[in-house]
Amino acid sequence: MSSVIRIDGRAYDELRPMDFQLDYQSHPLASLLVSCGNTREIVAMSVEDKVPQWMKNQKVPGGWITSEYGMLPSATGERVRREASAGKQSGRTVEIQRLIGRSLRMAADLEKLGERTVYLDCDVINADGGTRCAAISGAALALAVGCKRLFTVADNPFRELVAAVSVGIIDGVPMLDLCYDEDHRAEVDMNVIMTESGKLVEVQGTAEGAPFSRAKLNELLDLAEHGLKQIFALQRGVLENIQ
Amino acid sequence: MSSVIRIDGRAYDELRPMDFQLDYQSHPLASLLVSCGNTREIVAMSVEDKVPQWMKNQKVPGGWITSEYGMLPSATGERVRREASAGKQSGRTVEIQRLIGRSLRMAADLEKLGERTVYLDCDVINADGGTRCAAISGAALALAVGCKRLFTVADNPFRELVAAVSVGIIDGVPMLDLCYDEDHRAEVDMNVIMTESGKLVEVQGTAEGAPFSRAKLNELLDLAEHGLKQIFALQRGVLENIQ
Amino acid sequence: MSSVIRIDGRAYDELRPMDFQLDYQSHPLASLLVSCGNTREIVAMSVEDKVPQWMKNQKVPGGWITSEYGMLPSATGERVRREASAGKQSGRTVEIQRLIGRSLRMAADLEKLGERTVYLDCDVINADGGTRCAAISGAALALAVGCKRLFTVADNPFRELVAAVSVGIIDGVPMLDLCYDEDHRAEVDMNVIMTESGKLVEVQGTAEGAPFSRAKLNELLDLAEHGLKQIFALQRGVLENIQ
Amino acid sequence: MSSVIRIDGRAYDELRPMDFQLDYQSHPLASLLVSCGNTREIVAMSVEDKVPQWMKNQKVPGGWITSEYGMLPSATGERVRREASAGKQSGRTVEIQRLIGRSLRMAADLEKLGERTVYLDCDVINADGGTRCAAISGAALALAVGCKRLFTVADNPFRELVAAVSVGIIDGVPMLDLCYDEDHRAEVDMNVIMTESGKLVEVQGTAEGAPFSRAKLNELLDLAEHGLKQIFALQRGVLENIQ
Amino acid sequence: MSSVIRIDGRAYDELRPMDFQLDYQSHPLASLLVSCGNTREIVAMSVEDKVPQWMKNQKVPGGWITSEYGMLPSATGERVRREASAGKQSGRTVEIQRLIGRSLRMAADLEKLGERTVYLDCDVINADGGTRCAAISGAALALAVGCKRLFTVADNPFRELVAAVSVGIIDGVPMLDLCYDEDHRAEVDMNVIMTESGKLVEVQGTAEGAPFSRAKLNELLDLAEHGLKQIFALQRGVLENIQ
Amino acid sequence: MSSVIRIDGRAYDELRPMDFQLDYQSHPLASLLVSCGNTREIVAMSVEDKVPQWMKNQKVPGGWITSEYGMLPSATGERVRREASAGKQSGRTVEIQRLIGRSLRMAADLEKLGERTVYLDCDVINADGGTRCAAISGAALALAVGCKRLFTVADNPFRELVAAVSVGIIDGVPMLDLCYDEDHRAEVDMNVIMTESGKLVEVQGTAEGAPFSRAKLNELLDLAEHGLKQIFALQRGVLENIQ
């Protein structure tokens, strides 16, 4: 299988070069320019000292973590219509930001967060596949950094790093971290979201061309775990440099 | 494990009573009243002799299968605001109807469908958990029935039945086909969508309270396969009675 | 005139078979599956313990009764676009739900209702003409049942049953309770809403093809009264069986 | 009954002073400033040489007549929110403009109109009750004038004048042409729309406080006919002065 | 330059006939029918005893002055789509009402206004160029009149009259107060808003066909000042007749 | 006046450090990361081979240049609500993108552009005042670069560089290129847009706190010209390095 040559010369189990540039923006509590190959996103963590209306009467008081995802019209191959001017977010956007929010709520103790809402804004500046995974890995790191800056060690609601990676099957071969051209041709497309301690947070596998077997599902999960370990190492590198 | 007693007295690996009542409505090509315990939905297949605008310039000509999902305001425990009056579909609705559409497009050969759009409308009349799975199982059957009525055997674009079931982990125990009260308490919630020949179409597993291990994922998949076989038998019973 | 043979074999002054199936749904205070020939609707009554914002500063405190009307996309001959996905309710929907709300507010003492909002959701499952009238007759019964369940006899704000029926002129002949094909061809279309004690709540008569005389208006009103008496008997049958 | 003294000193069967000022605007084919007591509206007729999309495939070719109704935020006692800024028309507006359009389509032969859309814009400048009736009477006159200007006598699709008036019951007494303060207190509110030859186009009677008898309905219709004759005379006066 | 003959016979430095008819409507605190040639607008001032949500937590308490601008669909040469029915205000409308609001906030002391919101509704009844300038001159007068009526001399938050006029360059010649046909052909279009004491409130000059020099800018400003003096005289005439 | 010390140590007539980084994104024909002090924006030029619907029937065939402006929610001091999720663009956004589009249409010959639409997307990544001016200067450069890449020298519709700069009066002192804190405190705020040959394209001066004299207007224009010369030099540097 090592003889497969991918579009960009990578091995089937190789991540694209990945980088987290901290504090790219001047205003948010924590912000990152996340690069993953040609995919580039700005991820920012902002905190508001109140909770959404529907949480007001909850029995257990606590906070909320939510995400908004967007893409510059100029970020893709063909210009996409600006959602603000169209007057609504696309179904794809809605689905992605719900996934990010759900995953990130696993990374923190909402009760300990107190009556706060954390916004994780993920904006794609340049798209080349894997934008939702880059968003999740970046948002988890931004959340970790922001919490470290906002809370004392004792009060910190942050629990554990979370990261996401895409895997897929192309011409019958499982591959790690698909770029856009690969994603476009994949028979199966899967996103795996995990905690640093190796537990699954979310698994979403979709047959795009043909249904797949349990055996293939397991191969894809193995490949994802292999890639996620490297992403956790990168996140940890950034996080440990924060005073 | 056989000693676990569920809210409604079922065993951990037992489906709720399920039923497909054909031609419940008088106008669509095929319509079903789907019951799954107290969950009741109307699923209808309609065909339009044209394709969406964005398909007009596709290289390979063919049709499209899409789904719309809705819920009567009175279908749930507390009345939910009518989406038509709110002026937009909720994120949950958007996510569900994208999932149904994606799964159903695997059940047919879109090229063979010709320049047609198939609408699969899934409307929840009474909700008690598992509405998206009931919608997919019902929509696949409605599509099969409708295609049988619309096409000759030779031209029929329908490929294979598809069905969906929910599984989850409650107090550490994997369980099949969660009702609302179980779903509400589940630590892990998963929807498994499969073809009649046993291949996976979509897997969506989400940690709601705590992340889960690969071992648990496999137990859940086994349980889902067990339930799906029974649903395929029910679908086939209806389908074979159509002339 | 008795020699007129209608599409479905009825006499000019004959109602279609009508039925109210109580508690069709499991969650609302009262719900009905209303059938009127092939027209089928689910009508549900829900209560919220607050009033709309604009009522907050009223001099005379009291409650509000409102209605929302919808139709499944698959309920009609040709699939209609889902209003939730179109992002707004059609003019027809808005007009119908205003009519239902107005009529139902005559059936109860709003002051006695207290600071509550009653929602009467009317959802058409299958349409064959007369959906707004079936909705009103069903909603009045749901309101009566719900109030009987919620209030003591002394506190019950329900006043009197209300029912609606359509009448119309086809080829010069007044007819009762038009089905869709008749409604489509009618020169005059009228909805008459009455109290059980025989007073008018609303009269809406519209010339569709040619204007009509006062004499015809009176014939239509006579015909409507004849049909409404039978509907009141059906409603009363259901209502008296409630403990 | 002649001893009843109304707020503004009128007899129970007396119209408010009414006036139609032709060509108030410089651009439309026909425009009127309609006054009815303190109610003042601008009604304009515009013609577009195409029909709405849904009419494209009609069997019988022909045109369409539609109406849009609006009210300046400053036209009422308390400023109302501008619908353009709220982003949607209120239910009341939708209901009124559907009524106007329906009534005006009775005044012309749509087939003879040809592939044109007539817009009747009715904008309330100052409101004191009866705005929908003034709109209909004004729109019918604008339509008549515009058709006279656009078509030869032989091709003129205009059929007959139409006018509308409100009647109501206040403290048990039927009254003609209610001003806002009367309308506000009325137990029954009715709009009667008639052709110049005395046939009914639309009747809408609504119980606001208490249901009403057939006898009262007849008294109201008599009163309306009495007022409509005077409005037809005013319309005719304007129409006959057009070359 | 005096030999230039304009479409309507005016000299290059001549205003169109202008008029302010006070209290044209019966409900608002102050309303005006503003005429400027064939341009006619209704301008009304309404007051609400609360401030917008975003002002609630301001350090310096005070009020707010805002404006809404609209145009009847029938006010222009070709009927324009009603914004309320389109569901949103056009970019042009948004831009104009922001300009009016901004200018008018300079005419009053917001702190002295107290916790009130002043609405200045400007609705164009007939359009022939210069609608935004007529709106500003009218709104300033309505604000002055309304404040005089609402406040004692000591408490009056009104500071100074403001007026606006358009100037432009056509075929290289600067001209005052462009009508629609001139505006349409202008190479440069400028709106100048000034206080009665001769200070600039806003200057907006736009090259429509070709960029312009500093020298031309100065000529245009001279012309505008010349016209504005006449408008201030007209406003003052109305204002001084109020008791 | 040289003794005035600004927040960031600049002289009153000093621009912030400015930079244009070409081809920051991989997909658009031309894209720039524009920096102006802490203000950072991505400006991209995309071309579509068709014109807007309303241009279809123009007498003189030609193209269109339009702009869309957006801001990341995380770009400002306090997180702003995402316009795509709010469902509409703010008035400020609409006003800015109209200004950019208008200015850029002066930079090219629309007839020579042919049946094409040019989109200039300006997205603010980090905001510190002057975002609309940076957008215009960047968009003009992107347009110049894109046209140079798309057209031969003979066919190039690009005419001339355009640039914009803000000036304002703070505590009575005119200053060049305001940062956010200065802009916030300015009594007068002005944007000056010019061609490289020194003609005015647009002038927008607004009194924020107190109206201003003609003399101050002239001082501000002098200051703007001084800054614009330096921006043109920077643009030209980038443009001349393109093959």
Side-chain angles (χ1 to χ4, degrees):
Chain A
M1 205 177 276
S2 59
S3 64
V4 175
I5 295 180
R6 297 169 71 172
I7 289 171
D8 50 9
R10 281 185 290 153
Y12 76 98
D13 63 350
E14 198 180 337
L15 286 181
R16 290 178 287 177
M18 196 165 184
D19 182 63
F20 299 102
Q21 182 180 337
L22 188 63
D23 294 330
Y24 185 73
Q25 295 171 298
S26 48
H27 304 293
L29 185 54
S31 82
L32 292 160
L33 177 65
V34 181
S35 307
C36 175
N38 283 325
T39 288
R40 231 166 345 188
E41 302 182 28
I42 296 178
V43 176
M45 182 220 190
S46 311
V47 183
E48 214 177 60
D49 282 339
K50 62 177 186 182
V51 289
Q53 194 55 38
W54 61 265
M55 286 196 77
K56 289 286 165 62
N57 302 317
Q58 303 291 303
K59 269 164 293 178
V60 186
W64 190 242
I65 297 175
T66 190
S67 170
E68 289 193 352
Y69 171 94
M71 205 186 288
L72 299 199
S74 52
T76 56
E78 204 161 325
R79 182 182 185 272
V80 291
R81 186 164 178 208
R82 191 176 290 267
E83 294 183 329
S85 117
K88 60 181 281 195
Q89 296 180 305
S90 72
R92 178 184 173 275
T93 293
V94 167
E95 199 176 284
I96 292 176
Q97 64 194 12
R98 282 168 63 85
L99 172 66
I100 304 174
R102 219 154 56 214
S103 302
L104 269 291
R105 285 191 288 277
M106 295 301 295
D109 180 331
L110 297 181
E111 219 179 307
K112 219 166 159 185
L113 179 59
E115 290 221 350
R116 292 182 179 87
T117 300
V118 171
Y119 291 92
L120 293 160
D121 283 294
C122 305
D123 286 273
V124 180
I125 298 308
N126 204 61
D128 187 22
T131 64
R132 79 190 70 187
C133 290
I136 290 169
S137 302
L141 180 53
L143 181 65
V145 170
C147 284
K148 206 164 167 181
R149 286 173 171 167
L150 193 62
F151 295 97
T152 62
V153 172
D155 292 339
N156 195 339
F158 190 75
R159 277 180 181 148
E160 194 179 3
L161 281 168
V162 156
V165 81
S166 78
V167 283
I169 301 178
I170 299 172
D171 298 332
V173 184
M175 292 190 183
L176 178 66
D177 187 20
L178 311 188
C179 68
Y180 178 78
D181 283 331
E182 291 173 333
D183 184 80
H184 200 65
R185 297 172 42 221
E187 295 112 44
V188 177
D189 185 19
M190 190 154 98
N191 296 297
V192 181
I193 308 170
M194 223 174 227
T195 60
E196 200 178 359
S197 58
K199 293 285 186 66
L200 292 161
V201 167
E202 180 122 5
V203 174
Q204 288 200 347
T206 304
E208 299 284 353
F212 55 106
S213 64
R214 287 275 297 270
K216 283 291 184 210
L217 174 65
N218 280 316
E219 284 183 53
L220 291 170
L221 289 166
D222 291 342
L223 211 46
E225 280 193 50
H226 169 73
L228 287 163
K229 276 180 197 148
Q230 300 168 52
I231 301 176
F232 285 122
L234 286 167
Q235 290 174 321
R236 191 137 294 280
V238 175
L239 189 55
E240 280 169 7
N241 281 321
I242 311 290
Q243 275 77 39
Chain B
M1 209 177 273
S2 59
S3 64
V4 174
I5 295 178
R6 295 169 72 171
I7 288 171
D8 49 11
R10 283 186 288 154
Y12 76 99
D13 63 350
E14 198 181 337
L15 285 181
R16 290 177 288 175
M18 196 164 184
D19 181 63
F20 299 102
Q21 182 181 337
L22 189 63
D23 293 331
Y24 185 73
Q25 295 171 298
S26 48
H27 304 292
L29 186 55
S31 82
L32 292 159
L33 177 65
V34 181
S35 306
C36 175
N38 282 325
T39 287
R40 231 164 348 186
E41 302 182 27
I42 296 178
V43 176
M45 181 219 190
S46 312
V47 182
E48 215 177 57
D49 281 339
K50 60 175 190 184
V51 290
Q53 195 54 40
W54 62 265
M55 286 195 77
K56 289 285 165 63
N57 302 319
Q58 301 291 302
K59 272 163 291 178
V60 186
W64 190 243
I65 296 175
T66 190
S67 171
E68 290 191 353
Y69 171 94
M71 207 187 285
L72 299 199
S74 52
T76 55
E78 203 161 326
R79 182 183 185 273
V80 289
R81 189 167 176 204
R82 189 176 292 267
E83 294 183 330
S85 118
K88 61 179 282 194
Q89 296 180 304
S90 72
R92 179 184 172 274
T93 292
V94 167
E95 197 176 286
I96 292 176
Q97 65 194 12
R98 282 169 61 87
L99 173 65
I100 304 174
R102 219 154 55 213
S103 301
L104 269 292
R105 285 191 288 277
M106 295 301 295
D109 180 330
L110 296 180
E111 220 177 308
K112 219 167 160 184
L113 179 60
E115 288 221 351
R116 293 183 179 87
T117 300
V118 171
Y119 290 93
L120 294 159
D121 283 295
C122 305
D123 286 272
V124 181
I125 299 305
N126 206 60
D128 187 22
T131 65
R132 79 188 71 187
C133 290
I136 290 169
S137 302
L141 180 53
L143 181 65
V145 171
C147 283
K148 207 166 167 180
R149 287 174 169 165
L150 192 63
F151 295 98
T152 62
V153 172
D155 293 339
N156 195 339
F158 190 76
R159 278 180 182 149
E160 194 180 8
L161 281 168
V162 155
V165 80
S166 77
V167 282
I169 301 177
I170 300 172
D171 298 334
V173 183
M175 292 191 182
L176 178 65
D177 187 20
L178 310 189
C179 68
Y180 178 78
D181 283 333
E182 290 173 334
D183 185 79
H184 199 67
R185 296 171 43 219
E187 295 113 43
V188 177
D189 185 18
M190 188 155 99
N191 296 298
V192 181
I193 308 172
M194 222 176 229
T195 61
E196 202 179 358
S197 58
K199 293 284 187 65
L200 292 160
V201 167
E202 178 120 8
V203 174
Q204 288 199 348
T206 304
E208 299 284 353
F212 56 106
S213 65
R214 287 276 298 269
K216 283 291 182 207
L217 174 66
N218 279 317
E219 283 184 54
L220 290 170
L221 288 166
D222 290 341
L223 210 48
E225 279 192 52
H226 169 72
L228 286 164
K229 276 179 198 150
Q230 300 169 53
I231 299 175
F232 286 122
L234 285 168
Q235 289 175 320
R236 191 136 292 280
V238 175
L239 188 56
E240 280 167 9
N241 280 321
I242 311 290
Q243 274 76 43
Chain C
M1 206 176 279
S2 59
S3 65
V4 175
I5 295 180
R6 296 169 71 172
I7 288 172
D8 49 9
R10 282 184 290 153
Y12 76 98
D13 64 349
E14 198 180 335
L15 285 182
R16 291 177 288 177
M18 196 163 184
D19 182 63
F20 299 102
Q21 182 181 336
L22 189 62
D23 294 331
Y24 184 74
Q25 295 170 298
S26 48
H27 304 294
L29 186 55
S31 82
L32 290 159
L33 177 65
V34 181
S35 306
C36 176
N38 282 325
T39 289
R40 232 165 345 188
E41 302 182 27
I42 296 177
V43 176
M45 181 220 190
S46 311
V47 182
E48 214 177 59
D49 282 339
K50 61 176 188 184
V51 291
Q53 194 54 40
W54 61 264
M55 287 193 78
K56 290 285 166 62
N57 303 317
Q58 302 291 303
K59 271 164 290 178
V60 185
W64 189 243
I65 296 176
T66 190
S67 170
E68 290 193 350
Y69 171 93
M71 205 186 286
L72 299 198
S74 53
T76 56
E78 203 161 325
R79 182 181 185 273
V80 290
R81 187 165 178 206
R82 190 177 290 268
E83 295 184 328
S85 115
K88 61 180 281 196
Q89 296 180 305
S90 72
R92 180 184 171 273
T93 293
V94 167
E95 198 176 285
I96 292 176
Q97 65 194 13
R98 282 169 62 86
L99 172 66
I100 304 173
R102 219 153 59 212
S103 302
L104 269 291
R105 284 191 287 277
M106 296 300 296
D109 180 331
L110 297 180
E111 218 178 308
K112 219 166 157 184
L113 178 59
E115 289 222 351
R116 292 181 179 87
T117 300
V118 171
Y119 291 92
L120 293 160
D121 283 292
C122 304
D123 286 274
V124 180
I125 299 305
N126 205 61
D128 187 22
T131 63
R132 79 189 72 187
C133 290
I136 291 169
S137 301
L141 180 53
L143 181 66
V145 170
C147 284
K148 208 165 165 180
R149 287 174 169 165
L150 193 62
F151 295 98
T152 63
V153 172
D155 293 338
N156 194 340
F158 190 76
R159 277 179 181 149
E160 194 179 1
L161 281 168
V162 156
V165 81
S166 77
V167 284
I169 300 178
I170 301 173
D171 298 334
V173 184
M175 291 190 183
L176 177 65
D177 187 19
L178 310 188
C179 68
Y180 179 78
D181 283 332
E182 291 173 334
D183 185 79
H184 200 66
R185 297 173 41 218
E187 295 113 46
V188 177
D189 184 20
M190 190 154 99
N191 296 298
V192 181
I193 307 171
M194 222 174 229
T195 60
E196 201 178 359
S197 58
K199 293 285 187 63
L200 292 160
V201 168
E202 178 120 7
V203 175
Q204 287 200 349
T206 304
E208 299 283 353
F212 56 106
S213 65
R214 288 276 296 268
K216 283 292 183 208
L217 174 65
N218 279 316
E219 283 184 54
L220 289 171
L221 288 166
D222 290 342
L223 210 48
E225 280 193 50
H226 170 72
L228 287 163
K229 277 179 198 147
Q230 299 169 52
I231 300 176
F232 285 123
L234 284 167
Q235 290 174 321
R236 190 138 294 281
V238 175
L239 189 56
E240 279 167 7
N241 279 321
I242 310 291
Q243 274 79 39
Chain D
M1 207 177 278
S2 59
S3 64
V4 174
I5 295 178
R6 295 169 72 173
I7 288 170
D8 48 11
R10 282 184 290 153
Y12 76 99
D13 62 351
E14 198 179 337
L15 285 181
R16 290 177 288 177
M18 196 164 185
D19 181 63
F20 298 102
Q21 182 181 336
L22 188 63
D23 294 330
Y24 185 73
Q25 294 170 298
S26 47
H27 305 292
L29 185 54
S31 83
L32 291 159
L33 177 65
V34 181
S35 306
C36 175
N38 282 325
T39 288
R40 233 169 339 192
E41 302 182 27
I42 296 177
V43 176
M45 182 221 191
S46 312
V47 183
E48 213 178 59
D49 282 339
K50 60 176 189 184
V51 290
Q53 194 56 39
W54 62 264
M55 286 195 78
K56 289 285 165 62
N57 303 317
Q58 302 291 302
K59 272 163 291 180
V60 186
W64 189 242
I65 297 176
T66 191
S67 171
E68 289 193 352
Y69 171 94
M71 205 187 285
L72 299 198
S74 52
T76 55
E78 202 161 327
R79 182 183 185 273
V80 290
R81 186 163 178 207
R82 189 176 292 266
E83 294 184 329
S85 116
K88 61 179 282 194
Q89 296 180 305
S90 72
R92 178 183 172 276
T93 292
V94 168
E95 198 176 285
I96 292 176
Q97 66 194 14
R98 282 168 63 85
L99 173 66
I100 303 174
R102 219 154 56 214
S103 301
L104 270 291
R105 285 190 288 276
M106 296 300 296
D109 181 330
L110 296 181
E111 220 177 308
K112 219 168 159 183
L113 179 58
E115 289 221 351
R116 292 183 178 87
T117 300
V118 171
Y119 290 92
L120 293 160
D121 283 295
C122 304
D123 286 275
V124 180
I125 298 307
N126 204 60
D128 188 22
T131 64
R132 80 189 71 187
C133 290
I136 290 169
S137 301
L141 180 52
L143 181 65
V145 170
C147 284
K148 207 166 166 178
R149 287 173 170 166
L150 192 63
F151 295 98
T152 63
V153 172
D155 293 338
N156 195 339
F158 191 76
R159 276 180 182 148
E160 196 180 3
L161 281 167
V162 156
V165 80
S166 78
V167 283
I169 300 178
I170 301 173
D171 298 334
V173 184
M175 293 191 180
L176 177 66
D177 186 21
L178 310 189
C179 68
Y180 178 78
D181 283 332
E182 291 174 333
D183 185 79
H184 199 65
R185 296 172 42 219
E187 295 112 45
V188 177
D189 184 18
M190 189 154 101
N191 296 298
V192 181
I193 307 170
M194 223 174 226
T195 62
E196 201 177 358
S197 59
K199 293 284 186 64
L200 293 161
V201 167
E202 178 120 7
V203 175
Q204 286 200 350
T206 304
E208 300 284 352
F212 55 108
S213 65
R214 288 275 297 268
K216 282 293 183 207
L217 174 65
N218 280 315
E219 282 184 54
L220 290 171
L221 288 166
D222 290 341
L223 210 47
E225 279 192 50
H226 169 73
L228 287 164
K229 276 180 198 147
Q230 299 169 53
I231 299 175
F232 286 122
L234 286 168
Q235 288 174 322
R236 192 136 292 281
V238 176
L239 188 57
E240 279 167 8
N241 279 324
I242 311 290
Q243 276 77 39
Chain E
M1 208 176 279
S2 60
S3 64
V4 175
I5 295 181
R6 296 168 72 172
I7 289 172
D8 49 10
R10 281 184 291 153
Y12 76 98
D13 64 349
E14 199 180 335
L15 285 182
R16 290 178 288 176
M18 196 164 185
D19 182 62
F20 299 101
Q21 182 182 336
L22 188 62
D23 294 331
Y24 185 73
Q25 296 171 297
S26 48
H27 304 293
L29 185 54
S31 82
L32 292 159
L33 177 64
V34 181
S35 306
C36 175
N38 283 324
T39 288
R40 232 165 347 189
E41 303 181 29
I42 297 177
V43 176
M45 182 221 192
S46 311
V47 183
E48 214 177 58
D49 282 338
K50 60 176 187 183
V51 290
Q53 193 56 40
W54 62 264
M55 285 194 77
K56 289 287 166 60
N57 304 317
Q58 302 290 305
K59 270 163 293 179
V60 185
W64 189 242
I65 296 176
T66 189
S67 170
E68 289 192 351
Y69 172 94
M71 205 187 286
L72 299 198
S74 53
T76 55
E78 203 161 327
R79 182 182 184 273
V80 289
R81 184 160 182 211
R82 189 175 291 267
E83 294 183 330
S85 118
K88 61 180 282 194
Q89 296 180 306
S90 72
R92 178 183 173 275
T93 292
V94 167
E95 197 175 286
I96 292 176
Q97 65 195 14
R98 283 168 62 86
L99 172 65
I100 304 174
R102 219 155 54 214
S103 301
L104 268 291
R105 284 191 287 277
M106 296 300 294
D109 180 330
L110 298 180
E111 218 178 309
K112 218 166 159 186
L113 178 59
E115 289 221 351
R116 293 181 179 87
T117 300
V118 170
Y119 291 92
L120 293 160
D121 283 293
C122 304
D123 285 273
V124 180
I125 299 305
N126 204 62
D128 187 22
T131 64
R132 79 189 70 187
C133 290
I136 291 169
S137 302
L141 180 52
L143 181 66
V145 171
C147 284
K148 205 163 167 182
R149 285 173 171 168
L150 192 64
F151 295 97
T152 61
V153 172
D155 293 338
N156 195 338
F158 190 77
R159 278 180 180 147
E160 192 178 5
L161 281 167
V162 156
V165 81
S166 78
V167 283
I169 300 178
I170 300 173
D171 298 333
V173 184
M175 292 191 182
L176 177 66
D177 188 19
L178 310 188
C179 68
Y180 178 79
D181 284 331
E182 291 173 335
D183 184 79
H184 200 65
R185 297 171 43 218
E187 294 113 43
V188 177
D189 185 18
M190 189 155 98
N191 296 298
V192 181
I193 307 171
M194 223 174 226
T195 61
E196 201 178 358
S197 59
K199 294 284 186 67
L200 293 161
V201 167
E202 179 121 7
V203 174
Q204 288 201 346
T206 304
E208 300 283 352
F212 55 107
S213 64
R214 288 275 298 269
K216 282 293 182 207
L217 174 67
N218 280 316
E219 282 184 54
L220 290 171
L221 288 166
D222 290 342
L223 211 47
E225 280 193 51
H226 169 72
L228 286 163
K229 276 179 197 146
Q230 300 169 54
I231 300 175
F232 286 122
L234 285 168
Q235 290 175 320
R236 190 137 296 281
V238 176
L239 188 57
E240 279 167 7
N241 280 321
I242 310 290
Q243 274 78 39
Chain F
M1 207 176 278
S2 59
S3 65
V4 174
I5 295 178
R6 296 170 71 174
I7 289 171
D8 49 10
R10 282 185 289 154
Y12 75 98
D13 63 351
E14 197 180 337
L15 285 181
R16 290 177 289 176
M18 196 164 185
D19 181 63
F20 298 102
Q21 181 181 338
L22 188 62
D23 295 329
Y24 185 72
Q25 294 171 299
S26 48
H27 305 292
L29 186 54
S31 82
L32 291 159
L33 177 65
V34 181
S35 307
C36 175
N38 283 324
T39 288
R40 232 167 343 189
E41 302 183 28
I42 296 178
V43 176
M45 182 222 192
S46 312
V47 182
E48 213 177 59
D49 281 339
K50 60 177 190 184
V51 290
Q53 193 55 38
W54 62 264
M55 286 193 79
K56 289 285 165 63
N57 303 316
Q58 302 291 303
K59 270 163 293 181
V60 185
W64 190 242
I65 296 175
T66 190
S67 171
E68 290 192 351
Y69 172 93
M71 206 188 284
L72 299 198
S74 52
T76 54
E78 202 162 326
R79 183 184 184 270
V80 289
R81 188 166 175 204
R82 189 175 291 266
E83 293 183 330
S85 117
K88 61 180 282 193
Q89 295 181 305
S90 72
R92 178 184 172 276
T93 292
V94 167
E95 199 176 286
I96 292 176
Q97 64 193 14
R98 282 169 63 86
L99 173 65
I100 303 174
R102 219 155 55 215
S103 302
L104 270 291
R105 284 191 288 278
M106 296 301 295
D109 180 331
L110 297 180
E111 220 178 307
K112 218 167 161 184
L113 179 59
E115 289 221 352
R116 292 182 179 87
T117 300
V118 170
Y119 291 92
L120 293 160
D121 283 294
C122 305
D123 286 273
V124 180
I125 299 304
N126 205 61
D128 187 23
T131 65
R132 78 189 71 189
C133 290
I136 290 169
S137 301
L141 180 52
L143 181 65
V145 170
C147 284
K148 205 164 167 181
R149 286 173 171 168
L150 192 62
F151 296 98
T152 62
V153 172
D155 292 339
N156 194 339
F158 190 77
R159 277 179 180 149
E160 193 179 8
L161 282 167
V162 156
V165 80
S166 78
V167 283
I169 302 178
I170 300 172
D171 299 333
V173 183
M175 292 190 183
L176 177 65
D177 186 21
L178 311 188
C179 66
Y180 179 78
D181 283 333
E182 290 173 334
D183 185 78
H184 199 66
R185 297 173 41 220
E187 294 113 45
V188 177
D189 185 19
M190 190 155 99
N191 295 297
V192 181
I193 307 172
M194 225 174 224
T195 62
E196 201 178 357
S197 58
K199 293 285 186 66
L200 292 161
V201 168
E202 178 120 7
V203 174
Q204 288 200 347
T206 303
E208 301 283 353
F212 55 106
S213 65
R214 287 277 297 270
K216 283 290 183 209
L217 175 66
N218 280 316
E219 283 184 54
L220 290 171
L221 288 165
D222 291 341
L223 210 47
E225 280 192 52
H226 169 71
L228 286 163
K229 276 179 200 151
Q230 300 169 54
I231 300 176
F232 286 122
L234 285 167
Q235 290 175 320
R236 191 137 293 281
V238 175
L239 189 55
E240 280 167 6
N241 280 322
I242 310 290
Q243 275 76 41

